Amino acid sequence: MTDRIAVSTTDAPPPAHTFSQGVRRGPFLQVSGQGPVDPATSEYLHAGDVKAQTIRTLQNVEAILAAGGATFDDVMMLRVYLTTRDDFGLMNEAYGEFVGARVASGVLPARTTVFTGLPREEMLVEIDALAVLA
């Protein structure tokens, strides 16, 4: 079996803890949970604005996918973590526009949305991804 390879890029925020931005093994690429963080400054952005946080978060996911040789057409599954059910509609709107515009095949990834506490109070959303490259 092929070795695991850490995937990293300066186009996404560095991990704040003891994990890789992404890990690739063979055709599988797992992107760690990303939040609304500016890769250049490591600042959390768009306090209180779940739509803007969702877009920034997906941009970070996309950067790690690209670093691992993938696009949203390779993504099988996205998991979205929200702090409140009240933000679901706005997150879903931003998510749909962002992901839909990047899936040329027209086959959207599967998705699960979970309502939970997140590591930082200003985080309204966190998203991770699993891609399979041909």
Side-chain angles (χ1 to χ4, degrees), residues 3-134:
D3 290 334
R4 293 183 327 150
I5 300 165
V7 174
S8 65
T9 177
T10 57
D11 293 331
H17 305 288
T18 55
F19 56 85
S20 298
Q21 287 175 319
V23 176
R24 182 163 175 186
R25 185 173 194 166
F28 300 100
L29 171 60
Q30 177 67 54
V31 175
S32 290
Q34 297 298 303
V37 179
D38 182 321
T41 65
S42 295
E43 289 183 53
Y44 284 78
L45 303 175
H46 314 297
D49 183 346
V50 74
K51 280 185 80 169
Q53 284 197 9
T54 299
I55 292 166
R56 177 70 258 173
T57 298
L58 287 167
Q59 289 169 337
N60 292 338
V61 169
E62 185 173 43
I64 299 165
L65 288 169
T71 70
F72 274 98
D73 263 322
D74 300 306
V75 173
M76 301 297 293
M77 178 71 173
L78 288 155
R79 283 175 293 264
V80 177
Y81 304 89
L82 288 173
T83 58
T84 177
R85 184 174 317 234
D86 295 340
D87 285 341
F88 181 83
L90 292 172
M91 175 283 297
N92 200 47
E93 184 180 325
Y95 172 99
E97 291 170 7
F98 189 96
V99 175
R102 286 160 173 80
V103 178
S105 69
V107 179
L108 294 171
R111 185 181 92 192
T112 297
T113 303
V114 178
F115 301 100
T116 188
L118 292 173
R120 302 262 313 221
E121 186 175 339
E122 60 269 44
M123 284 179 75
L124 301 176
V125 62
E126 182 176 12
I127 301 173
D128 68 24
L130 175 64
V132 179
L133 292 84

